Amino acid sequence: MNEHMKIRVLVAKPGLDGHDRGAKVIARALRDAGMEVIYTGLRQTPEQIVAAAIQEDADVVAMSILSGAHGYLFPRVTQLLAERGVDDVLVIGGGIIPEEDIPALKAAGIAEVFTPGTSTAETVKFIREHVMR
């Protein structure tokens, strides 16, 4: 990827969450940081998220979840990406996620998990440092 090209981030809300304020805050912060953001909206299935990531040629999939279903939904996205041979997308997650669940999510291919109180600057920095170029 040309270093002058914008980082493309797909922001997704998997599962049945009805609240997307946090996802919108992140989307705005990433956009303000010069990234290209595609927001998929509420109640996305892992299949929809992966299809959108491939269609949009995303560099990053950033998922936000509050419902407690992260233990299934986040790993399902990484599994579907792998099944489709997509190995160059950074997958991150955030939301209401207990600290004790984070090691299993990372083992399933989630590069980083951002919990409440994480600054948007920290998320931007992580993406810039870890996107495969």
Side-chain angles (χ1 to χ4, degrees), residues 103-131:
L105 294 174
K106 288 186 173 184
I110 306 303
E112 188 58 86
V113 177
F114 301 96
T115 54
T118 303
S119 74
T120 55
E122 194 177 327
T123 306
V124 167
K125 181 176 186 276
F126 184 87
I127 290 171
R128 285 198 174 127
E129 290 175 354
H130 293 87
V131 162

Short mmCIF file of all heavy atoms in Angstrom, two decimals, residues 103-131:
data_model
loop_
_atom_site.label_atom_id
_atom_site.label_comp_id
_atom_site.label_asym_id
_atom_site.label_seq_id
_atom_site.Cartn_x
_atom_site.Cartn_y
_atom_site.Cartn_z
N PRO A 103 -7.74 -11.99 26.72
CA PRO A 103 -6.75 -12.95 26.20
C PRO A 103 -7.34 -13.92 25.17
O PRO A 103 -6.69 -14.22 24.16
CB PRO A 103 -6.27 -13.68 27.46
CG PRO A 103 -6.45 -12.68 28.55
CD PRO A 103 -7.74 -11.96 28.19
N ALA A 104 -8.54 -14.42 25.40
CA ALA A 104 -9.16 -15.34 24.44
C ALA A 104 -9.46 -14.64 23.12
O ALA A 104 -9.32 -15.24 22.04
CB ALA A 104 -10.44 -15.94 25.02
N LEU A 105 -9.88 -13.38 23.18
CA LEU A 105 -10.15 -12.63 21.94
C LEU A 105 -8.85 -12.43 21.15
O LEU A 105 -8.83 -12.60 19.93
CB LEU A 105 -10.80 -11.28 22.26
CG LEU A 105 -12.20 -11.37 22.87
CD1 LEU A 105 -12.68 -9.98 23.29
CD2 LEU A 105 -13.19 -12.01 21.91
N LYS A 106 -7.78 -12.10 21.86
CA LYS A 106 -6.50 -11.92 21.17
C LYS A 106 -6.02 -13.24 20.57
O LYS A 106 -5.49 -13.26 19.46
CB LYS A 106 -5.46 -11.32 22.12
CG LYS A 106 -5.74 -9.85 22.41
CD LYS A 106 -4.63 -9.22 23.21
CE LYS A 106 -4.85 -7.72 23.34
NZ LYS A 106 -3.75 -7.06 24.04
N ALA A 107 -6.23 -14.33 21.28
CA ALA A 107 -5.85 -15.65 20.76
C ALA A 107 -6.65 -15.99 19.51
O ALA A 107 -6.18 -16.74 18.65
CB ALA A 107 -6.05 -16.72 21.83
N ALA A 108 -7.84 -15.42 19.39
CA ALA A 108 -8.71 -15.68 18.23
C ALA A 108 -8.41 -14.72 17.07
O ALA A 108 -9.10 -14.76 16.05
CB ALA A 108 -10.17 -15.56 18.65
N GLY A 109 -7.40 -13.86 17.23
CA GLY A 109 -7.01 -13.01 16.12
C GLY A 109 -7.41 -11.54 16.22
O GLY A 109 -7.19 -10.78 15.29
N ILE A 110 -7.98 -11.15 17.35
CA ILE A 110 -8.30 -9.74 17.55
C ILE A 110 -7.00 -9.07 17.99
O ILE A 110 -6.44 -9.41 19.03
CB ILE A 110 -9.41 -9.55 18.61
CG1 ILE A 110 -10.66 -10.38 18.28
CG2 ILE A 110 -9.76 -8.07 18.76
CD1 ILE A 110 -11.29 -10.12 16.92
N ALA A 111 -6.52 -8.10 17.21
CA ALA A 111 -5.21 -7.51 17.46
C ALA A 111 -5.17 -6.72 18.76
O ALA A 111 -4.17 -6.73 19.47
CB ALA A 111 -4.80 -6.62 16.30
N GLU A 112 -6.26 -6.02 19.06
CA GLU A 112 -6.31 -5.24 20.29
C GLU A 112 -7.77 -5.05 20.68
O GLU A 112 -8.66 -5.05 19.83
CB GLU A 112 -5.64 -3.88 20.10
CG GLU A 112 -5.47 -3.07 21.38
CD GLU A 112 -4.67 -3.79 22.46
OE1 GLU A 112 -3.44 -3.71 22.45
OE2 GLU A 112 -5.30 -4.46 23.31
N VAL A 113 -7.99 -4.90 21.98
CA VAL A 113 -9.33 -4.67 22.52
C VAL A 113 -9.28 -3.38 23.33
O VAL A 113 -8.45 -3.25 24.24
CB VAL A 113 -9.79 -5.86 23.39
CG1 VAL A 113 -11.15 -5.57 24.01
CG2 VAL A 113 -9.83 -7.14 22.57
N PHE A 114 -10.14 -2.44 22.97
CA PHE A 114 -10.19 -1.15 23.62
C PHE A 114 -11.44 -1.08 24.50
O PHE A 114 -12.55 -1.25 24.01
CB PHE A 114 -10.21 -0.03 22.58
CG PHE A 114 -9.00 -0.05 21.69
CD1 PHE A 114 -9.04 -0.68 20.45
CD2 PHE A 114 -7.81 0.53 22.10
CE1 PHE A 114 -7.91 -0.71 19.63
CE2 PHE A 114 -6.68 0.49 21.29
CZ PHE A 114 -6.73 -0.12 20.06
N THR A 115 -11.22 -0.84 25.78
CA THR A 115 -12.33 -0.82 26.73
C THR A 115 -12.71 0.63 27.05
O THR A 115 -12.00 1.56 26.67
CB THR A 115 -11.94 -1.59 28.01
OG1 THR A 115 -10.72 -1.06 28.51
CG2 THR A 115 -11.75 -3.08 27.72
N PRO A 116 -13.83 0.82 27.73
CA PRO A 116 -14.26 2.19 28.06
C PRO A 116 -13.14 2.97 28.75
O PRO A 116 -12.41 2.44 29.58
CB PRO A 116 -15.45 1.97 28.99
CG PRO A 116 -16.00 0.66 28.57
CD PRO A 116 -14.80 -0.17 28.20
N GLY A 117 -13.01 4.22 28.35
CA GLY A 117 -11.98 5.07 28.92
C GLY A 117 -10.74 5.17 28.05
O GLY A 117 -9.88 6.02 28.28
N THR A 118 -10.63 4.30 27.03
CA THR A 118 -9.51 4.39 26.10
C THR A 118 -9.66 5.68 25.29
O THR A 118 -10.74 5.96 24.78
CB THR A 118 -9.50 3.20 25.12
OG1 THR A 118 -9.46 1.98 25.87
CG2 THR A 118 -8.32 3.26 24.17
N SER A 119 -8.59 6.43 25.16
CA SER A 119 -8.68 7.66 24.37
C SER A 119 -8.73 7.32 22.89
O SER A 119 -8.14 6.32 22.45
CB SER A 119 -7.49 8.58 24.66
OG SER A 119 -6.32 8.07 24.04
N THR A 120 -9.41 8.16 22.13
CA THR A 120 -9.45 7.94 20.68
C THR A 120 -8.05 8.08 20.09
O THR A 120 -7.71 7.39 19.14
CB THR A 120 -10.45 8.90 20.00
OG1 THR A 120 -10.11 10.25 20.34
CG2 THR A 120 -11.88 8.60 20.40
N ALA A 121 -7.21 8.93 20.69
CA ALA A 121 -5.84 9.08 20.21
C ALA A 121 -5.07 7.76 20.31
O ALA A 121 -4.27 7.43 19.43
CB ALA A 121 -5.13 10.18 21.00
N GLU A 122 -5.33 7.01 21.37
CA GLU A 122 -4.67 5.70 21.56
C GLU A 122 -5.10 4.73 20.46
O GLU A 122 -4.27 3.99 19.92
CB GLU A 122 -5.05 5.16 22.94
CG GLU A 122 -4.23 4.00 23.41
CD GLU A 122 -4.60 3.55 24.82
OE1 GLU A 122 -4.99 4.40 25.65
OE2 GLU A 122 -4.51 2.34 25.07
N THR A 123 -6.37 4.75 20.11
CA THR A 123 -6.88 3.88 19.04
C THR A 123 -6.26 4.26 17.70
O THR A 123 -5.81 3.40 16.94
CB THR A 123 -8.41 3.94 18.98
OG1 THR A 123 -8.94 3.64 20.28
CG2 THR A 123 -8.96 2.95 17.97
N VAL A 124 -6.23 5.55 17.41
CA VAL A 124 -5.63 6.04 16.16
C VAL A 124 -4.17 5.61 16.08
O VAL A 124 -3.72 5.09 15.05
CB VAL A 124 -5.76 7.58 16.07
CG1 VAL A 124 -4.88 8.14 14.96
CG2 VAL A 124 -7.21 7.98 15.86
N LYS A 125 -3.43 5.80 17.16
CA LYS A 125 -2.01 5.44 17.20
C LYS A 125 -1.82 3.94 16.96
O LYS A 125 -0.96 3.53 16.18
CB LYS A 125 -1.42 5.85 18.56
CG LYS A 125 0.05 5.57 18.74
CD LYS A 125 0.53 6.11 20.09
CE LYS A 125 2.02 6.00 20.26
NZ LYS A 125 2.47 4.70 20.75
N PHE A 126 -2.65 3.12 17.62
CA PHE A 126 -2.53 1.67 17.44
C PHE A 126 -2.75 1.29 15.98
O PHE A 126 -1.99 0.51 15.40
CB PHE A 126 -3.53 0.92 18.34
CG PHE A 126 -3.37 -0.57 18.24
CD1 PHE A 126 -2.47 -1.24 19.04
CD2 PHE A 126 -4.10 -1.31 17.31
CE1 PHE A 126 -2.29 -2.62 18.93
CE2 PHE A 126 -3.93 -2.67 17.19
CZ PHE A 126 -3.02 -3.33 17.99
N ILE A 127 -3.78 1.84 15.36
CA ILE A 127 -4.08 1.52 13.95
C ILE A 127 -2.91 1.93 13.06
O ILE A 127 -2.44 1.14 12.25
CB ILE A 127 -5.39 2.19 13.50
CG1 ILE A 127 -6.58 1.51 14.20
CG2 ILE A 127 -5.53 2.13 11.98
CD1 ILE A 127 -7.91 2.22 14.00
N ARG A 128 -2.43 3.14 13.24
CA ARG A 128 -1.32 3.63 12.39
C ARG A 128 -0.08 2.74 12.53
O ARG A 128 0.63 2.52 11.56
CB ARG A 128 -0.97 5.06 12.76
CG ARG A 128 -1.98 6.05 12.23
CD ARG A 128 -1.41 7.46 12.20
NE ARG A 128 -2.35 8.34 11.56
CZ ARG A 128 -2.79 9.47 12.11
NH1 ARG A 128 -2.34 9.83 13.30
NH2 ARG A 128 -3.65 10.23 11.48
N GLU A 129 0.17 2.25 13.75
CA GLU A 129 1.37 1.43 13.99
C GLU A 129 1.21 -0.02 13.53
O GLU A 129 2.22 -0.71 13.36
CB GLU A 129 1.72 1.46 15.47
CG GLU A 129 2.24 2.81 15.93
CD GLU A 129 2.49 2.89 17.44
OE1 GLU A 129 2.15 1.92 18.17
OE2 GLU A 129 3.00 3.93 17.88
N HIS A 130 -0.02 -0.49 13.34
CA HIS A 130 -0.22 -1.91 13.09
C HIS A 130 -0.86 -2.27 11.74
O HIS A 130 -0.94 -3.45 11.43
CB HIS A 130 -1.04 -2.54 14.23
CG HIS A 130 -0.29 -2.55 15.52
ND1 HIS A 130 -0.30 -1.50 16.40
CD2 HIS A 130 0.53 -3.48 16.05
CE1 HIS A 130 0.46 -1.78 17.44
NE2 HIS A 130 0.98 -2.97 17.25
N VAL A 131 -1.28 -1.28 10.98
CA VAL A 131 -1.84 -1.61 9.66
C VAL A 131 -0.71 -2.14 8.79
O VAL A 131 0.38 -1.58 8.75
CB VAL A 131 -2.50 -0.37 9.01
CG1 VAL A 131 -2.70 -0.55 7.51
CG2 VAL A 131 -3.83 -0.10 9.68
#
